[in-house]
Each structure stands twice: as C-alpha cells, then as structure tokens.
Amino acid sequence: MIDPVTGEIIDEQQLAEQLLKQAKEQGVDLVGPDGVLNGLTKRVLETALEAEMTEHLGYEKHGNTIAENARNGIRSKTVLTEVGPVEIDVPRDREGSFEPKIVKKRQRRLTGVDEIVLSLTARGLTTGEVAAHFDDVYGASVSKDTISRITDKVIEEMTEWQNRPLDRVYPVVFIDALVVKVRDGQVRNKPFYIAVGVTVNGERDILGIWAGDGGEGAKFWLGVLTEIKNRGAEDVCIVVCDGLKGLPESINTAWPLATVQTCIIHLIRNTFRFASRHYWEEMGKDLRPVYTAPTEAAARERFVEFDAKWGQQYPAISKLWQNAWSEFVPFLDWDVEIRRIICSTNAIESLNARYRRAVRARGHFPNDAAALKCLYLVTRSLDPTGRGRARWATRWKPALNAFAIAFEGRIN
C-alpha cells in the first residue's frame, strides 16, 4: 500500500497492529456498529466519494468555483458492508448530476456482501439461515426476500454457463447422477445429472448440471450426452460411468468411437454395499489385485480367488462383478497413467462430496430451479485459489502422452 499524500509505502502489518492497539486503548471492538473497522470503512468510503465529487465538479472541497454547479451539502444513508452496517455521508451537487461509482445511488449493499451471501448459500444455508447469520455476526437486518434476489442474480449467469460452447474433443468424461430431495407436491428423490470433462490441457471442466424427471435412466442420459455433443464436443475417448443398464448404448449413440469404462470407484463402493462393514478392509485388500492386474487373464485369476473366498457368503457381489466385467475389462488395457486418471477419486467424487454437503444442509428444495441454483453456486465456488487446477495439470503431462499414443489422431 502507498500513502496517496506522502507517497511512502505503508506497512500493512504495522497498520493492522495500530488498529488493534487503538481498539484496545478505546475499549471498542474491531467490528460491529461502533467498531474500529466500521469507522475506518466509513472514512474510506466518504473520502472516495469526495474524490469522485471533486473530479465531477473540477474543484477541491472548500475551493472557489465560478461554475454554476457546486457542492450542495450531504445526505446520509446506511450501506451494508463486510464489517456490518455503515452510515456514510454522500456529497450532493446542485444540479443532481453527480453519479457516484464507489457507492451508487440507491445502492444499499457493497458488492462484497453479495459474494458473502452467495458463498453462504453455496454451503447449503437457507435464506432464513443467511439472514440470521448477518443478524448474529454483523448486527444487520437483511430480509429473506433480499437474499433471494441476490442469489437470483446468478440465474442468468448459470443459463449462459449451461449453454456455453465446449471443446471439440475430451480425452475423458465422467458422468454421474446425484439424488436430491425436491418438493413436487410431496418431497421425493430426483436425480440431477452431472458431467465432468478432462480437457486436452488437463483441466477439469464441469460440462453441465441437468435436473432429471424421475429415476436415473439411460434415455435421459442420451438427451444429456446429445446436448453436450451439440455444444461442440464432437469426440470423447473414454466415458467413465456407473453400471446403469442401457447407458453404454446411449454413450455410443452420441460418440460411436468412445470407450465405455465402468467407474472402478462405483464398482468397489457397490461391492461394499452387499457386505458387512466388519469385512470391508479385508475385502478391499482382496479386491485390489483384481483391478490392478496387468492383464485381463491375471485379473480373472485374481477374481476367481476372490470369489472362492467371498462368493458363497456374498453371492450378490459375485454377480455384480460378473455383470460389470465387460465394462470393467477395458480398464486393464490402459497405460498406468491413463488408469490413474480414470480411476481417480478426485475427478468426480470430491465434486459430489461438495454437492452432497450443500444438499444435506438444505434437506430439500421447493423446486428444481432452487436445487439447480444451489448446485451451480457450489460449482462456481470450487477451487477459488486455482491450486487444485494447477496440481491436476502438473500430473497430466504423462497421461497426455499415453492418450496421444492410445488414441492416435483423435487428441490433436
């Protein structure tokens, strides 16, 4: 920070220590209606408004002017900021032509407050809970209608995002459905379809979120995949999905050259559903040689050993793997770098965990639009620092080389 008057560099740490010392000496809080930060925010905003008025009129405050337009007192108003409500004095001019930018006419909230509302909503808080948060933390009264209007601002942004053009080719696309409780006459479970693509640059791109119209079905997935293709995704090398009946046919209808790969994580999780939790750790160790085998023949041998140990006690597990074997086998043909990408729990599982956290916090939604808005707010709040994207891209180069060889002519 640079002092605008002296031009000297301001030590931010020293400034913070001075504010804290001042608060202790005066016996006041840092935040709140009478807090130090509240007063500092007031002075900063009023100084900025006075500077805008000076630029508008062409002369300094208390200076002489020969122009017809001049300063004409002030008017007070309260604006909601990140440190709570702040009452500021806004300068006026005789002609009423002054249009402030830092705090616009009729503006009652700074933009940072809107971002706080969107962030809290993305974490699953209801409008009532967000209003209570502002009351408890900032001592500010914000109505539920105001909070709804703030979150509704993202609907246009969400629509544009949902219809944006996509890349021509994706090496991998992960597809999955998330169950959300929606009140439609009565509260019922509805699937929301999510597709995540990995670009040729190694970036994870959430391609869209779609509200279903019943139980998860291959027919609805065909419509979703067709829409993705119509938005520009002409080719996908590998589509990773669960074992939904009819889904491979829907995928190959959209992309005839795509390889359908059963999600190993889904397959393992479904395996544990049929077994007692007491055996999960032991069963996981026995399954690992199956999905890490170098060839299909080796995997078949390891599965026979697994089935001999667990098949009699849990026959449903044996049937599960036998039914999914044809979609599981392609996994064994890939280079180890490709295996790491399509088997990664971070690709879609971490995303689903964030979605589920927000959904569970809400309990249920009044309609599909409210659920979509919440899921989109979670989406736009992902990886704010970009560190996750950077880590993923760093690990991507070996996989890109493997994809370029396995799918020669399709990645470039």
Side-chain angles (χ1 to χ4, degrees), residues 42-58:
K42 172 181 172 68
R43 288 194 292 272
V44 169
L45 292 177
E46 290 179 348
T47 300
L49 289 168
E50 284 293 347
E52 289 186 15
M53 178 62 81
T54 297
E55 183 179 356
H56 175 67
L57 296 177

Side-chain angles (χ1 to χ4, degrees), residues 161-238:
W161 171 80
Q162 186 77 11
N163 295 289
R164 73 194 188 283
L166 301 177
D167 292 352
R168 188 191 66 81
V169 60
Y170 288 90
V172 184
V173 168
F174 299 85
I175 61 176
D176 196 12
L178 177 72
V179 176
V180 178
K181 295 184 182 297
V182 177
R183 180 179 294 279
D184 185 9
Q186 61 181 4
V187 177
R188 62 190 184 96
N189 293 332
K190 294 190 68 174
F192 281 72
Y193 298 80
I194 302 164
V196 181
V198 179
T199 71
V200 293
N201 295 322
E203 298 176 350
R204 286 173 292 178
D205 184 13
I206 300 175
L207 308 182
I209 306 172
W210 296 263
D213 54 4
E216 182 182 3
K219 183 177 180 181
F220 192 94
W221 267 122
L222 177 59
V224 168
L225 300 177
T226 301
E227 178 183 325
I228 293 174
K229 183 176 181 179
N230 291 340
R231 285 165 56 194
E234 299 175 6
D235 189 18
V236 174
C237 298
I238 302 175

Side-chain angles (χ1 to χ4, degrees), residues 325-341:
W325 194 261
S326 60
E327 281 79 39
F328 160 70
V329 167
F331 178 77
L332 304 174
D333 294 333
W334 304 122
D335 182 276
V336 64
E337 297 296 341
I338 296 180
R339 289 192 189 190
R340 286 174 180 165
I341 296 297

Side-chain angles (χ1 to χ4, degrees), residues 49-107:
L49 289 168
E50 284 293 347
E52 289 186 15
M53 178 62 81
T54 297
E55 183 179 356
H56 175 67
L57 296 177
Y59 74 95
E60 297 287 342
K61 187 177 181 180
H62 305 304
N64 296 323
T65 178
I66 58 174
E68 294 183 4
N69 196 14
R71 282 177 168 79
N72 188 31
I74 59 172
R75 62 181 178 86
S76 298
K77 76 173 184 178
T78 301
V79 293
L80 184 59
T81 73
E82 293 93 328
V83 297
V86 176
E87 184 175 339
I88 59 174
D89 295 328
V90 182
R92 300 187 301 179
D93 61 338
R94 290 177 183 173
E95 295 180 352
S97 58
F98 177 49
E99 295 287 344
K101 296 181 178 60
I102 187 69
V103 182
K104 297 180 175 62
K105 288 183 178 179
R106 293 175 291 279
Q107 182 180 354

Side-chain angles (χ1 to χ4, degrees), residues 284-353:
K285 292 180 180 178
D286 293 339
L287 265 179
R288 183 173 178 80
V290 177
Y291 61 82
T292 59
T295 63
E296 179 184 357
R300 176 66 72 177
E301 291 179 5
R302 301 291 81 77
F303 181 73
V304 169
E305 296 172 359
F306 175 87
D307 190 42
K309 181 177 180 179
W310 299 101
Q312 187 173 359
Q313 185 177 3
Y314 297 112
I317 293 178
S318 298
K319 186 176 181 180
L320 171 70
W321 277 82
Q322 289 167 5
N323 291 340
W325 194 261
S326 60
E327 281 79 39
F328 160 70
V329 167
F331 178 77
L332 304 174
D333 294 333
W334 304 122
D335 182 276
V336 64
E337 297 296 341
I338 296 180
R339 289 192 189 190
R340 286 174 180 165
I341 296 297
I342 63 180
C343 190
S344 173
T345 58
N346 291 331
I348 197 165
E349 287 305 303
S350 59
L351 174 64
N352 279 343

